[in-house]
Amino acid sequence: MLRSGARLAATLITMALMFGLTAGSAFAGQVAGIQTHLLWGDVTDAQMRHQLDLVKASGAGMTRVDVGWASLQQDSPNGYSSWYLGKLDRMVAAADARGVQLLLTFMNSPCWASTAPDSLKQGCAGSWWDRGVMGYAPSNPQAYARALAFLAARYGTKVAAWEVWNEPNHPDFFKASDQAAAYARLLKAAYPAVKAANPRAVVVGGSLSQSDHAFAQRLYDLGVKGYFDAFAVHPYSDDVSPLDPRSSIDARYSFIRGVPAIRNVMLRNGDSRPIWLTESGWSTSTLRTPDHWRNGVSEATQATFMRQQAQQIARWPYVKVNIWFNLLDAGSDRADKYSNCGLLRADGTAKPAFAAFRGAAATLATGSATIATASKPATAKKKKRSAAQRRKARRARAARARARAARARRHHHSSKRR
């Protein structure tokens, strides 16, 4: 059985290569995107469409949306929720109509599939979704794989990529006695199932909290190479500039050191697939403490860090996608870190980062990194390059000036815990 499964996976991977369906070839250049939560229960269809309009107005080429397995198959593995599929259908159609690519993150175990202890599941009676059972790894990875394959077949090329879970190295999102082993099993089940259902689908693995290079190496030790088309990380750097190496601590907590550390792990394991940064950003919370990870930054600093980040990513050709977390602030409590990550405030008004994002998206689309390099003697050729850079800067300023201060309805979401 193991040898047969390996042959099937190899066949499917070969098919993907024949179609030219790697995550690198499917996405020319580099793509800037924004996280949204369009399928949350309190988001109306009108709000969903409005948020997609904002994504489009920001210059983003993609939005990342969390899709709940627990909502799709709430009661059993037999069948799918017509209500939830209706929401999904309308969202996919609305994004397609606007030319916004979708990265859909399939996560959250339904109670019947969860490995949560019986003390939490309680026979799956009552409001089990409020008892934390969704954050446990599924008991049967094949059940997850079948549901994901169903969606991949249903939406075809209208969904740009499917992400297998969210932050499996973080206990808030993926509880298991051995997180790496449980996640490796999930990837190995999901990838061939999705490719069999839709050979053109792009499957994103990893989705790691921080640039967790040690966890990434453990996944490779467990044989995940070949079971994803792109490897994703969430390279947050707390309240620190993305260009700060933070040399006194682990590279996973530095943007500029962490992403290359992940790349080095991949290359060391003979894997040249692209990296996707499927979450990144800075909170504008007013909280300031001695602990960097608790803190926000000013709105002006958030915009500055975004520009620095985009310029650095443009220097990394192996990074194909960067997703900013989040489009909208999740609440109005200015002291709460995870309620203040948006490009837009809770009242819908734009932070400076909204305009900065437009420039960042243009930087990634054109690869026009403008970080200063070592100076050279002035020459005629050098002057021409500088003039071109000045013209690009004028165009970027004009684009930012045209950007409207878009408004979105207030959303009372619970904050995203990290």
Side-chain angles (χ1 to χ4, degrees):
M1 288 295 292
L2 288 175
R3 286 193 295 271
S4 177
R7 284 197 299 270
L8 173 60
T11 300
L12 292 168
I13 293 166
T14 301
M15 288 171 61
L17 292 174
M18 287 174 63
F19 279 111
L21 302 175
T22 66
S25 65
F27 299 90
Q30 293 173 302
V31 178
I34 302 175
Q35 174 79 51
T36 55
H37 304 287
L38 304 178
L39 296 174
W40 284 11
D42 59 352
V43 177
T44 67
D45 283 359
Q47 290 171 331
M48 174 268 291
R49 291 189 295 268
H50 183 53
Q51 289 191 41
L52 284 171
D53 288 337
L54 292 171
V55 170
K56 184 70 173 179
S58 75
M62 177 181 287
T63 187
R64 178 181 186 247
V65 183
D66 42 321
V67 177
W69 180 26
S71 298
L72 182 68
Q73 292 188 304
Q74 180 173 318
D75 299 319
S76 80
N78 303 315
Y80 303 94
S81 164
S82 59
W83 174 82
Y84 196 67
L85 277 177
K87 281 181 73 77
L88 259 169
D89 288 348
R90 293 189 294 275
M91 180 198 71
V92 170
D96 186 56
R98 289 160 175 78
V100 174
Q101 297 183 92
L102 289 172
L103 165 61
L104 300 187
T105 307
F106 196 52
M107 58 186 289
N108 294 339
S109 295
C111 185
W112 59 265
S114 174
T115 54
D118 291 339
S119 59
L120 294 179
K121 295 176 73 169
Q122 299 175 21
C124 297
S127 301
W128 52 261
W129 46 87
D130 291 330
R131 297 198 292 267
V133 304
M134 295 187 294
Y136 283 79
S139 56
N140 180 5
Q142 292 298 333
Y144 172 92
R146 284 192 293 270
L148 181 53
F150 166 79
L151 294 178
R154 183 181 184 90
Y155 297 116
T157 58
K158 290 186 177 180
V159 172
W162 297 93
E163 190 171 27
V164 178
W165 217 267
N166 176 68
E167 299 189 350
N169 60 328
H170 197 297
D172 282 356
F173 298 102
F174 196 73
K175 293 179 176 65
S177 57
D178 186 334
Q179 289 173 307
Y183 185 67
R185 289 193 292 269
L186 202 62
L187 267 183
K188 290 179 180 181
Y191 187 78
V194 170
K195 292 295 186 179
N198 177 10
R200 292 186 175 275
V202 171
V203 178
V204 180
S207 193
L208 303 185
S209 173
Q210 309 287 348
S211 296
D212 193 343
H213 50 92
F215 194 91
Q217 181 57 61
R218 180 85 198 291
L219 290 177
Y220 277 100
D221 292 342
L222 291 164
V224 301
K225 180 184 174 183
Y227 288 95
F228 53 83
D229 300 310
F231 193 84
V233 295
H234 301 165
Y236 291 100
S237 59
D238 302 326
D239 63 347
V240 175
S241 164
L243 305 184
D244 189 331
R246 307 184 78 181
S247 301
S248 62
I249 59 176
D250 193 299
R252 67 183 289 186
Y253 302 113
S254 165
F255 180 82
I256 199 167
R257 289 170 58 222
V259 176
I262 294 292
R263 178 66 168 175
N264 289 340
V265 168
M266 296 178 70
L267 294 178
R268 194 163 62 238
N269 288 275
D271 196 347
S272 59
R273 289 173 180 80
I275 292 175
W276 288 21
L277 312 181
T278 54
E279 281 186 31
S280 65
W282 289 264
S283 170
T284 57
S285 159
T286 56
L287 191 63
R288 304 290 186 271
T289 74
D291 300 319
H292 290 289
W293 66 272
R294 295 181 184 274
N295 298 337
V297 299
S298 71
E299 290 186 353
T301 298
Q302 182 193 45
T304 296
F305 285 177
M306 176 184 288
R307 286 189 288 267
Q308 292 175 345
Q309 181 193 63
Q311 291 169 341
Q312 182 59 47
I313 292 171
R315 292 179 170 273
W316 290 332
Y318 53 84
V319 174
K320 294 301 180 183
V321 173
N322 181 59
I323 304 293
W324 181 268
F325 188 91
N326 208 9
L327 174 65
L328 292 163
D329 281 353
S332 56
D333 181 358
R334 295 286 293 113
D336 182 75
K337 178 176 180 179
Y338 300 112
S339 292
N340 293 278
C341 297
L343 303 176
L344 303 169
R345 304 180 188 95
D347 64 2
T349 56
K351 299 178 188 178
F354 188 81
F357 182 87
R358 291 184 62 89
T363 294
L364 295 182
T366 61
S368 54
T370 57
I371 296 176
T373 56
S375 60
K376 296 180 181 180
T379 64
K381 187 175 183 179
K382 177 72 173 181
K383 289 178 181 178
K384 288 180 181 178
R385 286 200 301 269
S386 297
Q389 291 172 351
R390 287 195 296 272
R391 287 193 295 273
K392 287 179 182 177
R394 285 196 296 271
R395 288 195 294 270
R397 286 194 296 271
R400 289 194 295 269
R402 290 193 299 269
R404 298 189 303 272
R407 292 181 175 273
R409 298 182 183 182
R410 177 172 301 196
H411 299 277
H412 299 287
H413 299 151
S414 54
S415 60
K416 181 179 184 294
R417 297 182 182 91
R418 190 160 308 284

